[in-house]
Amino acid sequence: ATPLVKVGGLADVAGELPRALARYGVDVQLALPFYPGLKAELAGLRPLATVEVPRPDGVQTATVHALEVDGRRVWLIGGEPIDAAPAVYGAPEQDAAKFTFFGIGALQACRSLGWEPEVVHAHDWHAAPSLAWMRTASFGWDRTPALLTVHNLPYMGAGGEAALAEYGLRPADDPHLPDWARRLPLPLGMSHADWITTVSPSYAGEIQTPAFGCGLEAFLASRAGRLRGILNGIDPRVWNPGADAAPERRYATDSLEDRLTNKTALQRIFGWPEHGRTPLLAMITRLDVQKGVDLALDALEALQDVRWQFILLGRGDPAVEAQAEAFAAAHRDRAAFIPQFDPFLSRRLYAGADMLLVPSRYEPCGLAQMMGLRYGAVPVVRATGGLRDT
């Protein structure tokens, strides 16, 4: 959740949605794992409470630290399984133990600190096991409404089956789930959720079909009455070209000509000709086959006789990174690849690029295109999922 931890668009949603809900009078408590990297940044933070995370073979201890960020209360759940897997995302075998421990610890923190929610909202496979535990562990919240938001269906936590058993979680027994899915974190959580949401209306429909359902389409269709697509959004105060300190020059809808200053500043950084009429294209993404990076590179390769400049920012699949590096090396007079997650540079790209490429093969929602629209970088997208909806 921004601004504490950011790896991809879920961080923006988790960081900005609580503020939006608070404007409607909703009291939101945000829980995050206390990752080792966060511990180093918040070294002086003292624990608020200690809670027990039960397992069939004994009890683990979780610490609860609290802080306020931009007017939001945040609980940071710490403990040995989280320290043992220091990266935010890593191997599913370790991640499943880490995140299952975290989810149970967050529920126990609510009980320990006397804060009982009217709705428990879990995001993706990482938090999904907490809903199964809440329903089956004699916790006493079996009637508390549980909501699970699926940000990307194919990521189900495969490899984490053993970790679920370690915390006493039994396989799902929904007859609409295939056998292979019953021990996976995401299907298990969905089977115990009262409502399932995805992050766009189109994606909610797509995942009920064989093309996008990843083998769970029959289960999802059986839950159609409790499955909704609620479009993601961005906070226009956070994403505001009139107040953003990252670009060379700020601007608004009535001063779009000032974007040219930001464009030429980018051209100068990469040592390219500062031609105002040469289209500057940007792509800001996790490097994954899903995101269609190869489609963009192949298309640009076919446009050798057309003027363009292209900047790709992001990290991910080593094979896709290697393809991007090779492309940038072959076209260094007009292409650049920056293998980083760089929030500052991404804002400069939104504020200076003419077009933003989002050629995803599928896209539950996507936030980059919304940021492009907000900053006047025209999104060029594939008509799928949330890209179509936005």
Side-chain angles (χ1 to χ4, degrees):
T2 57
L4 292 169
V5 184
K6 178 173 168 63
V7 181
L10 174 57
D12 295 299
V13 176
E16 296 173 23
L17 179 61
R19 280 202 301 271
L21 291 171
R23 291 198 289 273
Y24 289 93
V26 181
D27 180 20
V28 181
Q29 174 62 63
L30 174 65
L32 275 176
F34 202 4
Y35 299 108
L38 263 182
K39 277 187 176 179
E41 292 178 30
L42 303 170
L45 202 60
R46 295 185 177 276
L48 182 66
T50 300
V51 299
E52 292 184 346
V53 176
R55 290 167 42 124
D57 61 354
V59 170
Q60 290 179 316
T61 299
T63 58
V64 185
H65 293 71
L67 73 162
E68 191 162 303
V69 181
D70 298 335
R72 294 163 295 165
R73 284 196 322 277
V74 181
W75 289 343
L76 300 171
I77 311 299
E80 191 278 329
I82 296 170
D83 293 337
V88 175
Y89 300 130
E93 300 79 17
Q94 276 193 312
D95 275 359
K98 171 173 71 177
F99 289 117
T100 301
F101 169 87
F102 152 72
I104 297 171
L107 293 172
Q108 293 283 55
C110 292
R111 170 69 51 82
S112 174
L113 297 171
W115 191 84
E116 184 166 343
E118 295 177 54
V119 176
V120 173
H121 187 182
H123 290 268
D124 270 347
W125 78 258
H126 315 80
S130 65
L131 302 185
W133 188 86
M134 185 176 82
R135 287 286 188 257
T136 62
S138 301
F139 186 59
W141 288 5
D142 46 332
R143 294 185 179 274
T144 300
L147 166 64
L148 178 59
T149 296
V150 179
H151 293 260
N152 203 335
L153 183 64
Y155 294 86
M156 300 184 197
E161 298 89 330
L164 299 184
E166 289 171 8
Y167 286 90
L169 294 174
R170 297 185 298 275
D173 59 5
D174 191 296
H176 296 97
L177 279 174
D179 288 341
W180 59 263
R182 296 183 182 195
R183 290 175 172 80
L184 296 182
L186 183 63
L188 177 63
M190 288 195 293
S191 73
H192 287 282
D194 296 290
W195 284 85
I196 301 168
T197 67
T198 65
V199 286
S200 71
S202 285
Y203 192 60
E206 288 173 350
I207 61 175
Q208 297 179 58
T209 69
F212 295 94
C214 304
L216 302 182
E217 56 273 8
F219 165 77
L220 292 163
S222 77
R223 300 292 299 275
R226 294 262 173 163
L227 170 61
R228 292 287 183 275
I230 301 174
L231 195 64
N232 266 350
I234 59 172
D235 187 338
R237 295 174 299 181
V238 172
W239 300 96
N240 179 7
D244 199 327
E248 195 85 0
R249 178 172 294 184
R250 297 172 181 173
Y251 59 93
T253 50
D254 59 357
S255 56
L256 284 176
E257 63 277 3
D258 289 342
R259 292 185 87 257
L260 183 58
T261 300
N262 299 326
K263 176 179 177 176
T264 54
L266 289 169
Q267 291 170 324
R268 197 174 307 124
I269 288 171
F270 293 100
W272 298 334
E274 297 173 24
H275 293 160
R277 299 291 294 174
T278 297
L280 178 58
L281 317 176
M283 193 167 179
I284 304 164
T285 185
R286 172 172 49 86
L287 269 61
D288 187 273
V289 172
Q290 173 210 337
K291 296 296 185 180
V293 177
D294 58 314
L295 301 179
L297 301 183
D298 290 347
L300 290 171
E301 198 72 66
L303 293 173
Q304 292 299 314
D305 299 328
V306 178
R307 286 196 307 177
W308 51 261
Q309 295 168 338
F310 174 65
I311 302 170
L312 172 61
L313 176 64
R315 297 199 66 178
D317 185 326
V320 182
E321 286 191 14
Q323 184 183 5
E325 286 173 357
F327 180 87
H331 303 280
R332 57 178 83 248
D333 59 331
R334 55 176 174 171
F337 169 48
I338 302 95
Q340 299 173 11
F341 292 111
D342 187 332
F344 184 83
L345 180 55
S346 69
R347 287 174 176 270
R348 298 195 73 168
L349 293 176
Y350 288 126
D354 296 301
M355 286 175 264
L356 187 74
L357 303 186
V358 195
S360 303
R361 288 180 163 86
Y362 73 91
E363 191 60 68
C365 180
L367 297 178
Q369 79 280 10
M370 298 185 195
M371 296 161 185
L373 287 166
R374 179 77 170 120
Y375 279 68
V378 179
V380 181
V381 311
R382 190 182 183 98
T384 184
L387 298 177
R388 179 168 56 200
D389 293 340
T390 54

